[in-house]
Amino acid sequence: MATEITNYQCPNCTGPMHFDGASGKLKCDFCESIFDTAEIEAMYKEKEEKSVEAFEKAETKEWIDEGMHAYNCPSCGADLICDETTAATSCPYCGNPSIVPGQMAGALRPDLIIPFKLDKEKAKASLRQHYNNKFFLPKSFSEGNHIEEVKGVYVPFWLFDCTASGEAWFEAGKVVKDNLNKKVTDIYDAVRGGEVSFEKIPTDASIQMPDDMMDSIEPYDYNEITEFSTVYMPGFMADKFDVTQDESIERFSDRAKNTLVDMLTDECKADYDDVTKKHEEIEIKDVKCRYAMLPVWMLSTKWENQNFLFAMNGQTGAFVGDLPCDKKKRMITGILSFIISLIVVSIVGAWFEFEFYIDLIGAGIITALIISHFNNQLKSVAKAKMAKEYVKKETFECSKRRDNFLRQEVEYYDND
């Protein structure tokens, strides 16, 4: 089992090494020696090839439970308990980073990788900063909860290239007359059609990772993406994909379709004063896919017997994670907001001679907006619906415009 594992050990002192994102080099945890990635890659090339061969030849793995494997650490001989997708981990006894090259060989080998750029301390500091200026966040949460775990993970992603093509139908209105007496609007059946191309729309390929959380830490800077090598992985965890390309098609294609529809809608809005989308017919074509490993810091905290999960983009520092709400503070804020709003609205209403029920409605709307604002401060995780960051430059073309007059609508103003 040890032959299926590769340990990255310092050539000077045999201590464990990790990839240092700040320098882009490998650094020894003990003697702090620094090595170029190319140097270590060449040094471990033969050993890695033998590990892949041993992994592929093994007819059976040592199973300790359903979906779990047992390997032996080549450095100290300790058992490494891993699930069936584990590609990189660390020995809990000697600390040496352990790579399972067979999990990333052949068809399983990623094409691309973005190395970690930010370290664990940055992730912890970002978590503390994430608590700032959240009015409804319980004070005891920010002061009393503690970090249970912080781990750097290379998350498997599919990066999709594609072209979205099709049409969208709208009911569009153009105001042709608007004066003190009436407003006249011409209503049209408008069609806009075209296509746009996308490059590297990311879709995480790990069942364990929450899809909406992975969406929320986008985008990555693809200028720093490079050819995959296991030399970037020491000191971090990694899993091979367990969500296939076919299983990811709906997620990325929905984003591409929504983006094209939004762009066609903007084209229609440029010609009309009011636009309502009725339906669309969009197809996805020219699909290409690459397999990549992208860096993510995962943090978990515990508060009042509840677990909270946070994620940070290991390259850009984008940080997300939903927070709990102080319900008592929210209730008091709602009551005070309503009372103050009602007083203000009543003063304004008296000037314009509004009915009291209008004052109540106005105060209710203002209160709802205030509560919604503070609630939204606690929410930072959301499923991605668009893919605008991945549109290839100068590929959008609105090639179809058709406008048919339907009717004219007249709205009369009450000037009494």
Side-chain angles (χ1 to χ4, degrees):
M1 287 296 179
T3 57
E4 297 173 23
I5 297 285
T6 297
N7 273 156
Y8 282 85
Q9 298 174 318
C10 174
N12 294 337
C13 71
T14 71
M17 292 189 297
H18 70 275
F19 177 77
D20 178 53
S23 65
K25 297 183 178 183
L26 286 156
K27 185 176 182 180
C28 176
D29 292 346
F30 289 170
C31 69
E32 298 187 347
S33 297
I34 296 176
F35 304 90
D36 289 331
T37 54
E39 178 184 359
I40 299 300
E41 190 173 26
M43 184 182 301
Y44 277 85
K45 182 179 180 181
E46 183 178 352
K47 184 177 181 181
E48 191 169 302
E49 289 174 350
K50 289 182 178 179
S51 296
V52 171
E53 184 178 354
F55 184 91
E56 291 176 345
K57 285 184 177 179
E59 295 182 0
T60 60
K61 302 289 188 297
E62 185 179 342
W63 293 81
I64 61 168
D65 199 357
E66 184 178 355
M68 303 296 290
H69 295 303
Y71 300 102
N72 297 124
C73 174
S75 298
C76 68
D79 286 336
L80 299 179
I81 310 302
C82 309
D83 64 32
E84 58 186 336
T85 63
T86 298
T89 185
S90 295
C91 176
Y93 298 99
C94 68
N96 270 300
S98 300
I99 312 295
V100 188
Q103 297 279 40
M104 295 173 289
L108 298 177
R109 183 178 177 84
D111 303 300
L112 303 165
I113 188 171
I114 294 180
F116 269 88
K117 195 173 184 178
L118 303 174
D119 61 16
K120 181 184 293 187
E121 294 307 312
K122 172 60 177 176
K124 291 180 179 179
S126 295
L127 176 61
R128 292 191 292 270
Q129 187 177 3
H130 188 60
Y131 298 159
N132 293 340
N133 303 317
K134 306 294 193 296
F135 185 67
F136 281 168
L137 181 67
K139 187 176 181 180
S140 60
F141 180 86
S142 56
E143 294 180 351
N145 79 314
H146 59 279
I147 298 176
E148 295 284 314
E149 185 179 26
V150 182
K151 58 182 180 181
V153 184
Y154 278 108
V155 178
F157 274 80
W158 299 116
L159 306 182
F160 288 96
D161 299 346
C162 70
T163 296
S165 177
E167 301 176 356
W169 284 258
F170 307 92
E171 183 170 279
K174 181 180 293 185
V175 177
V176 294
K177 184 177 181 180
D178 192 1
N179 56 32
L180 293 176
N181 298 316
K182 64 181 179 180
K183 178 180 179 181
V184 181
T185 305
D186 288 345
I187 306 299
Y188 291 80
D189 177 36
V191 180
R192 297 291 181 270
E195 68 176 29
V196 65
S197 295
F198 300 86
E199 188 173 23
K200 298 188 184 75
I201 301 176
T203 304
D204 72 276
S206 172
I207 292 176
Q208 299 179 48
M209 293 295 167
D211 294 341
D212 54 357
M213 188 166 278
M214 294 301 99
D215 289 350
S216 299
I217 59 173
E218 294 179 20
Y220 286 86
D221 181 1
Y222 288 145
N223 290 321
E224 297 179 345
I225 203 164
T226 187
E227 184 179 348
F228 176 79
S229 172
T230 57
V231 75
Y232 298 107
M233 307 186 83
F236 302 100
M237 302 181 68
D239 289 335
K240 69 176 183 180
F241 71 87
D242 51 9
V243 178
T244 66
Q245 291 184 36
D246 289 343
E247 292 170 332
S248 303
I249 286 177
E250 184 177 355
R251 282 186 62 203
F252 95 85
S253 61
D254 282 350
R255 294 178 66 179
K257 290 177 181 179
N258 291 341
T259 302
L260 176 57
V261 170
D262 191 65
M263 298 173 86
L264 294 175
T265 302
D266 287 341
E267 288 290 316
C268 194
K269 286 181 177 179
D271 300 322
Y272 292 94
D273 299 302
D274 183 62
V275 172
T276 302
K277 182 177 70 69
K278 295 192 294 184
H279 68 279
E280 73 275 350
E281 292 182 4
I282 309 295
E283 67 169 340
I284 301 298
K285 58 185 182 180
D286 303 328
V287 176
K288 297 179 182 178
C289 184
R290 280 162 286 184
Y291 180 27
M293 290 287 186
L294 305 185
V296 180
W297 283 103
M298 300 299 299
L299 304 88
S300 61
T301 69
K302 194 169 186 178
W303 176 72
E304 293 189 352
N305 296 320
Q306 298 180 65
N307 293 317
F308 294 85
L309 187 65
F310 304 89
M312 187 183 84
N313 186 313
Q315 179 202 33
T316 68
F319 196 99
V320 299
D322 291 343
L323 296 166
C325 178
D326 187 329
K327 296 180 180 179
K328 182 178 179 180
K329 183 182 288 188
R330 183 172 61 185
M331 181 182 67
I332 293 173
T333 301
I335 294 172
L336 292 176
S337 297
F338 183 79
I339 293 173
I340 295 172
S341 299
L342 183 59
I343 293 173
V344 173
V345 172
S346 295
I347 294 173
V348 175
W351 180 266
F352 290 99
E353 298 182 352
F354 290 157
E355 297 290 341
F356 183 66
Y357 77 90
I358 295 180
D359 297 340
L360 290 174
I361 293 174
I365 292 173
I366 293 173
T367 301
L369 290 173
I370 292 173
I371 297 299
S372 177
H373 170 72
F374 290 128
N375 273 335
N376 289 338
Q377 288 183 336
L378 304 176
K379 307 296 180 182
S380 56
V381 177
K383 182 180 179 181
K385 296 181 179 179
M386 298 285 181
K388 292 185 177 180
E389 299 91 344
Y390 310 103
V391 171
K392 293 178 67 174
K393 289 184 179 180
E394 300 179 359
T395 61
F396 172 63
E397 179 184 6
C398 184
S399 56
K400 184 173 185 178
R401 297 172 181 270
R402 188 177 71 239
D403 303 88
N404 295 322
F405 178 78
L406 295 177
R407 63 186 182 277
Q408 189 172 81
E409 294 182 353
V410 180
E411 179 182 356
Y412 292 95
Y413 297 129
D414 184 0
N415 295 319
D416 292 338

